[in-house]
Amino acid sequence: MGQSILVVGGGMSGVSAALEAAEAGYDVVLVEKNPYLGGRVAQLHQYFPKLCPPYCGLEINFKRIKSNPRIKLYTMSEVTGIEGEPGNYKVTINQMPRYVNERCTVCGKCGEAVEATIPNAFDYGLGEIKAAYLPHELAYPYRYVIDPSIVETEDGAKAKEACPYDAVVLDDAPKETIEEAGAIVWAAGWSPYDASKVEYYNFNSSPDIITNVQMERLAAAGGPTGGKIVKLSNGEAPKKVAFIQCAGSRDVNHLPFCSTICCLASLKQATYVREQLKDAEVTIYFIDIRAMDRNEDFYTKVKADEKISFVKSKIGLIEPGENGMLVLEGENTTTGERFKAEHDLVVLATGMQPNTDLSKIPADMVYDEYGFVQNAEGIFGAGTVRRPGEVHVSVQDGTSAALKAIQVVAGR
Amino acid sequence: MATKAYDKSFREEVYQNVDSGEDVKLCMQCGVCGITCPLRGEMTHGPRQLWSLIRAGKRDEVMNSPDIMLCTSCYSCKVRCPRGVKVIDVMHGLAHYALEQGIVPRKETSKFGKAFWDSIYKTGRVDETEVPMRYTLMAGPIHGIFNMLEMMDIGRALLAHKRMKFKIGPGLPPSKKIKGMKGLKKMLDKAKAMSPGKEG
């Protein structure tokens, strides 16, 4: 078999594209920026509407990758250059050092030995982890990472000394590799819109104002609170939880489009709260609830819970109130009343900003006004770089991109 | 179920006659404008409700809403509007249109506007003593004097900081005119002829 297919991004779309192409008999190079695969799906507590854990599906995919010799995996790597044309690309891959080699058994001794901590990126900055760490419990590849900040410090030496398997490599360095490929699938995913940009929500003013992605980590067993939904200001259980929809979405000053998933994410997270905290009240503030096709049933189900109420209002202001409460101001557009409502935990449902909006593909590509990429002759977008959407759409899109890539390389 | 059709004529009237009136079509009824407004405590409807009333054909309620003349052009709502509606332009457009139709939605604003315009038209400047004096006296001599007495502390402070000149009454002594008053008058007359509304 001739040319390989290069897939950028090891999240749901990229993993799907890589597996579909490899299992159809093509060689695949999979390039992932993080030290682990699974992308944002790996950080979710549960899927909507079935409320099942994403790890079932992810583990099956990882097993398929592990047992498929056609897939060559680069983690902690980014594509910095693409040259050539369809059927003949030369792709520059920049790999950052992990400082830990394949001898690592995840015994954890290096983590115990070092003292320095870094913000936990996997938990979206909620809490800290040791600077020698496993990104998360079910990480694939299952291997530790050492943060570059400690490599030249005493902590770096301690980590190396603590390792019984000689797996710590302190002189590891960035590597530049050039891979040849006939077609490229760009599945670089999305980033949560920066909530602090919506200045009237005063996101940084209170630890009890969090984003929807942070809420996933709060609810997840592997998260910073061991899965307990608490107010981060004092560790107590919240009594009145607010979800603010379209926080920076459908807004010409922020993300002008609808990300399609935030309504469902908040409905789902409302069930997390209600399952754990029997007395907690939940209010969802919305412009419109957008629950399409089968998800409408989920909306109906959540709406039936009398402790979950829906208020048609885009919140216009969040300010600290008395006794650690947060005061939300809005105009109820059903009744016409302007109101102030107190809550002790506020979740901002921020949208999906395509990563192609934040960092462009190093090739001549066409983007729409929001930064979503359009397919070129030999380079295909997959998943949320093409349009915002839920996980199963990303899987389908990965498969579709794999087929387009195969059509370029087949027979060459 | 009995239904009542909306009167579409008023919205068409607004789209065609009010400055940026067609922007009302962009509104998705989120309510951010009403909450952003620093005068939200004073507003009866706020922009969102006004847009809704326009669409529903409630001509009297919209044209008589004091809100359209209460807007101080701080632009907070326009900056935050997620749909980019030119809220201020429509508010002022509605006020102009109401005046043009012989409706005065908020007398105080209209009077203040007149005092403001007169001062500029006569002297080329806004006289900080003349304008409030004329404005308060528009309520009648007795009311005017009571109103002025209410403002005495502010007036004293302004005098002490030389932010205001002392006057016995309107035009006593008369305000100084700017140079080139003739040219300014010409410009103002032309602007007035172009503008759909009258002064105020």
Side-chain angles (χ1 to χ4, degrees):
Chain A
M1 190 69 60
Q3 297 172 337
S4 36
I5 292 166
L6 187 125
V7 179
V8 181
M12 216 54 196
S13 319
V15 162
S16 303
L19 278 170
E20 299 288 12
E23 289 176 1
Y26 293 85
D27 287 332
V28 172
V29 178
L30 178 58
V31 184
E32 166 57 45
K33 191 164 79 173
N34 285 324
Y36 57 90
L37 294 183
R40 306 230 173 250
V41 167
Q43 291 164 285
L44 297 179
H45 171 48
Q46 287 175 346
Y47 279 139
F48 63 76
K50 287 192 197 161
L51 304 179
C52 56
Y55 246 87
C56 302
L58 277 179
E59 279 195 298
I60 294 168
N61 282 331
F62 296 159
K63 191 165 182 291
R64 284 162 77 192
I65 289 176
K66 214 173 170 176
S67 59
N68 196 320
R70 290 196 181 277
I71 299 178
K72 183 175 177 186
L73 175 63
Y74 286 85
T75 53
M76 303 184 76
S77 300
E78 288 187 71
V79 166
T80 54
I82 298 173
E83 275 173 35
E85 63 285 322
N88 181 28
Y89 287 112
K90 285 193 170 50
V91 181
T92 311
I93 298 167
N94 238 335
Q95 187 167 38
M96 298 317 283
R98 183 188 272 263
Y99 303 106
V100 178
N101 66 21
E102 66 289 343
R103 283 192 216 112
C104 174
T105 64
V106 193
C107 70
K109 294 221 163 65
C110 57
E112 286 163 24
V114 308
E115 274 157 36
T117 57
I118 52 168
N120 189 341
F122 191 76
D123 286 344
Y124 292 103
L126 302 177
E128 303 247 313
I129 39 163
K130 288 284 185 71
Y133 62 101
L134 186 67
H136 66 101
E137 281 174 333
L138 297 163
Y140 179 90
Y142 197 52
R143 199 194 299 177
Y144 263 63
V145 185
I146 291 179
D147 193 75
S149 65
I150 65 157
V151 168
E152 286 175 11
T153 68
E154 211 177 302
D155 262 340
K158 277 187 199 164
K160 187 167 174 60
E161 205 176 308
C163 181
Y165 305 100
D166 203 18
V168 175
V169 190
L170 291 177
D171 57 358
D172 200 356
K175 281 185 219 57
E176 195 179 276
T177 318
I178 293 180
E179 286 280 356
E180 288 182 3
I184 296 168
V185 174
W186 200 272
W190 60 281
S191 294
Y193 186 71
D194 180 359
S196 66
K197 285 189 181 165
V198 191
E199 78 278 16
Y200 44 91
Y201 290 160
N202 294 310
F203 179 61
N204 293 323
S205 70
S206 164
D208 297 334
I209 307 175
I210 60 172
T211 62
N212 48 2
V213 288
Q214 290 177 324
M215 184 62 165
E216 290 296 324
R217 298 312 304 150
L218 269 193
T225 55
K228 273 201 179 127
I229 297 172
V230 294
K231 295 191 283 174
L232 293 167
S233 60
N234 59 9
E236 286 173 15
K239 293 189 182 73
K240 290 191 76 185
V241 183
F243 288 90
I244 298 183
Q245 298 311 112
C246 299
S249 291
R250 298 174 67 191
D251 188 330
V252 291
N253 304 306
H254 302 284
L255 299 181
F257 54 87
C258 167
S259 290
T260 75
I261 52 107
C262 331
C263 283
L264 269 299
S266 291
L267 292 170
K268 174 186 73 173
Q269 292 178 351
T271 70
Y272 297 171
V273 175
R274 293 288 299 122
E275 181 155 318
Q276 278 193 27
L277 308 164
K278 297 296 170 207
D279 299 321
E281 286 170 21
V282 176
T283 311
I284 298 178
Y285 297 96
F286 66 97
I287 308 174
D288 309 285
I289 294 288
R290 291 186 166 172
M292 302 304 166
D293 57 66
R294 64 186 179 142
N295 291 328
E296 172 108 32
D297 292 342
F298 186 64
Y299 174 35
T300 310
K301 198 183 96 187
V302 175
K303 227 167 36 170
D305 185 330
E306 28 179 71
K307 294 233 171 188
I308 301 176
S309 49
F310 292 79
V311 176
K312 188 167 166 62
S313 166
K314 182 174 163 80
I315 294 301
L317 189 64
I318 304 176
E319 278 185 323
E322 280 170 27
N323 305 323
M325 297 296 273
L326 296 157
V327 182
L328 277 53
E329 260 190 83
E331 189 178 356
N332 183 326
T333 62
T334 310
T335 63
E337 284 166 308
R338 286 187 284 266
F339 63 86
K340 287 187 183 186
E342 286 199 330
H343 291 275
D344 52 3
L345 178 65
V346 176
V347 183
L348 303 178
T350 52
M352 304 173 110
Q353 186 167 20
N355 282 338
T356 42
D357 189 32
L358 298 164
S359 135
K360 298 282 181 245
I361 301 171
D364 195 17
M365 301 295 285
V366 177
Y367 303 88
D368 72 7
E369 57 194 305
Y370 312 132
F372 292 102
V373 69
Q374 288 169 26
N375 284 342
E377 211 186 321
I379 306 177
F380 308 101
T384 52
V385 295
R386 284 210 319 123
R387 61 175 178 310
E390 51 189 285
V391 180
H392 77 91
V393 177
S394 289
V395 174
Q396 290 165 0
D397 217 41
T399 306
S400 136
L403 182 56
K404 290 196 187 87
I406 287 171
Q407 286 167 348
V408 176
V409 301
R412 284 196 200 241
Chain B
M1 201 171 80
T3 55
K4 202 179 143 202
Y6 280 158
D7 177 4
K8 289 179 194 160
S9 61
F10 181 51
R11 79 173 86 140
E12 289 304 328
E13 190 182 335
V14 169
Y15 298 159
Q16 277 162 33
N17 299 299
V18 170
D19 183 16
S20 303
E22 292 211 42
D23 268 34
V24 170
K25 291 180 188 172
L26 292 174
C27 174
M28 64 172 171
Q29 295 287 304
C30 73
V32 157
C33 49
I35 291 310
T36 305
C37 181
L39 286 173
R40 58 191 178 279
E42 309 295 320
M43 292 251 174
T44 316
H45 301 107
R48 180 198 68 80
Q49 282 190 40
L50 285 171
W51 301 177
S52 188
L53 290 167
I54 289 170
R55 288 165 169 177
K58 306 279 183 192
R59 191 176 199 277
D60 289 348
E61 270 183 85
V62 174
M63 299 287 267
N64 288 294
S65 172
D67 298 5
I68 59 181
M69 280 198 139
L70 206 54
C71 168
T72 61
S73 317
C74 77
Y75 281 85
S76 300
C77 55
K78 191 191 166 185
V79 166
R80 289 195 182 164
C81 175
R83 302 282 290 163
V85 174
K86 295 192 277 298
V87 185
I88 317 292
D89 304 43
V90 185
M91 291 294 261
H92 289 327
L94 283 168
H96 271 294
Y97 185 61
L99 289 172
E100 208 179 37
Q101 302 291 309
I103 301 166
V104 182
R106 191 172 182 270
K107 286 199 184 77
E108 302 94 305
T109 310
S110 178
K111 281 179 185 162
F112 184 81
K114 190 172 179 340
F116 192 92
W117 173 268
D118 286 349
S119 176
I120 290 179
Y121 197 73
K122 278 177 197 147
T123 64
R125 60 176 98 235
V126 178
D127 188 308
E128 302 286 358
T129 319
E130 192 83 18
V131 173
M133 213 177 239
R134 285 187 183 275
Y135 168 65
T136 42
L137 284 172
M138 279 177 195
I142 311 274
H143 270 290
I145 285 168
F146 273 111
N147 287 348
M148 275 194 241
L149 285 174
E150 254 178 50
M151 302 288 282
M152 204 156 72
D153 287 348
I154 294 174
R156 257 199 213 121
L158 285 168
L159 276 175
H161 288 89
K162 296 189 177 165
R163 303 299 299 163
M164 200 171 90
K165 281 183 189 140
F166 185 77
K167 285 194 177 194
I168 307 163
L172 296 171
S175 318
K176 245 174 117 181
K177 284 183 185 174
I178 58 153
K179 283 180 196 165
M181 192 56 222
K182 245 187 177 171
L184 180 71
K185 250 187 187 163
K186 245 187 193 168
M187 277 161 62
L188 291 174
D189 284 336
K190 195 168 180 191
K192 204 169 160 182
M194 281 161 68
S195 144
K198 298 284 171 326
E199 69 267 27

